[in-house]
Amino acid sequence: MPTVFSSRRSRRVGAALAAALAVVLAAGACGDDPFAPKAENAVANTEFSVWALTGSPTNFPTVIFVPQRFAARPDPSASFDIGFDIDAMGRVQILPVSRVMTPLATQRSVGIQVPGTAYADITAAPRTGWVFDSIVTVDVGQAFIVRVQTLYCSLELRQEVYAKYVVDSIFPAERRIKIKGRVNPNCGFRSFGDGVPTF
């Protein structure tokens, strides 16, 4: 025998659905998408010394893993993000992973920008204007921003991590570069502000 729903029960179900829809619409009207990715980690400062890929001892760190904020030697799987070198004029060369070696797992794109503004004034990574997979040269005091498609975000909807850096000092005779930076470790989030970012 087919189930018969009373008109009173139907009204209750309809009212519940309407209330749920109103909550979702209200959240959307306030600009708070309940289905949007949420950041979990605070933006973090970093500072490190890295050595040139050429002319430095083989056991010294020459590349960095951006989300994890540490320097190392290039690993055989090429899971790092960017490397560094010093050119004949004593300037820093920033090399995306694909310009150092070929990743075994997959091709990963790295974008770099040199905005021409002070490091402290860079509050967020831009959406456009990226130079992808090309070597970029900077000098002492110059800030640069990176956008790395990283294995760290391989299971996420958005697979890029953003960071800003500034060259603190260059020691050509030592083949050493001192760099400080600020990394947003949340996949797809561009803000460099304090705390857990909202975008």
Side-chain angles (χ1 to χ4, degrees):
M1 181 175 179
T3 302
V4 178
F5 291 94
S6 69
S7 60
R8 181 178 298 175
R9 183 178 177 187
S10 297
R11 286 195 297 272
R12 285 200 303 268
V13 171
L17 289 173
L21 180 60
V23 169
V24 172
L25 291 176
C30 295
D32 185 14
D33 182 355
F35 305 108
K38 298 291 190 295
E40 297 179 355
N41 302 299
V43 175
N45 292 322
T46 184
E47 188 171 342
F48 53 87
S49 283
V50 67
W51 278 257
L53 284 159
T54 59
S56 62
T58 57
N59 60 331
F60 283 17
T62 57
V63 302
I64 62 170
F65 295 72
V66 171
Q68 298 90 342
R69 306 191 309 279
F70 71 85
R73 292 295 298 179
D75 58 309
S77 64
S79 59
F80 61 91
D81 298 304
I82 54 178
F84 298 88
D85 210 344
I86 299 175
D87 68 12
M89 299 180 67
R91 301 171 303 179
V92 174
Q93 291 184 315
I94 308 158
L95 295 87
V97 57
S98 63
R99 302 302 296 267
V100 179
M101 58 196 300
T102 303
L104 296 179
T106 181
Q107 181 69 27
R108 290 182 290 111
S109 183
V110 175
I112 303 172
Q113 285 197 44
V114 181
T117 55
Y119 172 82
D121 294 337
I122 303 170
T123 58
R127 296 183 183 276
T128 60
W130 296 101
V131 176
F132 287 97
D133 304 316
S134 296
I135 299 173
V136 173
T137 302
V138 294
D139 213 331
V140 172
Q142 277 193 290
F144 60 97
I145 314 168
V146 300
R147 175 189 186 274
V148 297
Q149 183 183 357
T150 172
L151 298 176
Y152 173 86
C153 295
S154 60
L155 301 179
E156 301 293 331
L157 181 63
R158 297 183 290 184
Q159 297 189 346
E160 67 280 356
V161 163
Y162 296 92
K164 67 171 183 174
Y165 299 99
V166 62
V167 177
D168 181 79
S169 48
I170 306 171
F171 307 91
E174 300 177 32
R175 307 297 289 166
R176 182 167 65 93
I177 308 152
K178 187 176 179 182
I179 293 175
K180 69 177 183 179
R182 195 160 172 83
V183 180
N184 189 330
N186 302 282
C187 303
F189 285 75
R190 300 180 299 107
S191 172
F192 297 131
D194 292 336
V196 178
T198 58
F199 70 95

